[in-house]
Amino acid sequence: MAPATFFQLSSFAAGVRSVLSSTPLQVLLYLNTWYFAAFYLAEILMFIYKGILLPYPPDNLVLDVVLLLLFLALETLRIFYAWKGNLCERSLSSFVSLFILFPCAALAVYYLLLQTFVLRLEFLLSAVLLCFYGLELLLGVISISAFSRSRVY
């Protein structure tokens, strides 16, 4: 028997289990963290631009800024739980992050289509953010499935 095969059999016999964390999901979460920071900064600068140069109703500007703050809080929680769930291989944390993903996606759609004035840059940034969300949803569901299948009761 080859030495590599012997070590594989001995680690299997010792009860060592394989790592189930999703590397593509972790890379995507890392990139999403930096992208959302850039998105958030760009949105703040665009709100300053729109508040100064466009006839923005004051109530609508306040609503959009409050929703942006809510977006920051939800996205921070979502990324934290997704990061923790993936690295610790916890189905519940991963599920919570996927649950928070839906309000985040709704806010991204709001900034994509529904706010008072939508700039082309906002449309592009929100569309890219929704692409991140779609990929993270797919990889998150696959990860939760892998975590759940490996659990020994």
Side-chain angles (χ1 to χ4, degrees), residues 91 147-153:
S91 296
F147 303 156
S148 298
R149 276 186 277 130
S150 72
R151 186 160 302 237
V152 177
Y153 294 102

Side-chain angles (χ1 to χ4, degrees), residues 104-153:
C104 288
L107 285 168
V109 168
Y110 176 79
Y111 286 109
L112 179 74
L113 300 173
L114 301 174
Q115 61 181 324
T116 306
F117 292 109
V118 180
L119 302 177
R120 287 183 184 152
L121 181 59
E122 285 177 310
F123 186 86
L124 178 68
L125 291 174
S126 296
V128 171
L129 190 60
L130 284 171
C131 291
F132 269 107
Y133 288 163
L135 288 171
E136 288 176 15
L137 177 66
L138 177 68
L139 292 173
V141 167
I142 291 170
S143 295
I144 289 173
S145 173
F147 303 156
S148 298
R149 276 186 277 130
S150 72
R151 186 160 302 237
V152 177
Y153 294 102

Side-chain angles (χ1 to χ4, degrees), residues 39 90 100:
F39 172 85
R90 303 282 184 204
I100 298 172

Side-chain angles (χ1 to χ4, degrees), residues 17-28:
R17 64 182 190 92
S18 63
V19 176
L20 299 173
S21 296
S22 172
T23 303
L25 178 60
Q26 198 63 33
V27 169
L28 200 59

Side-chain angles (χ1 to χ4, degrees), residues 2-95:
T5 307
F6 174 74
F7 288 122
Q8 289 172 351
L9 288 175
S10 65
S11 67
F12 179 72
V16 176
R17 64 182 190 92
S18 63
V19 176
L20 299 173
S21 296
S22 172
T23 303
L25 178 60
Q26 198 63 33
V27 169
L28 200 59
L29 289 170
Y30 177 78
L31 293 174
N32 191 10
T33 302
W34 286 103
Y35 182 79
F36 188 78
F39 172 85
Y40 193 78
L41 180 63
E43 280 293 331
I44 289 173
L45 293 175
M46 284 185 276
F47 278 136
I48 292 170
Y49 169 79
K50 291 189 289 188
I52 293 172
L53 296 178
L54 298 175
Y56 218 105
D59 293 340
N60 290 6
L61 184 61
V62 169
L63 173 69
D64 288 347
V65 171
V66 167
L67 286 177
L68 191 63
L69 292 172
L70 177 66
F71 200 5
L72 176 65
L74 285 173
E75 184 70 10
T76 303
L77 276 174
R78 187 190 69 79
I79 289 177
F80 170 75
Y81 280 116
W83 202 291
K84 180 181 176 183
N86 186 39
L87 291 180
C88 296
E89 299 176 4
R90 303 282 184 204
S91 296
L92 183 60
S93 295
S94 296
F95 183 75

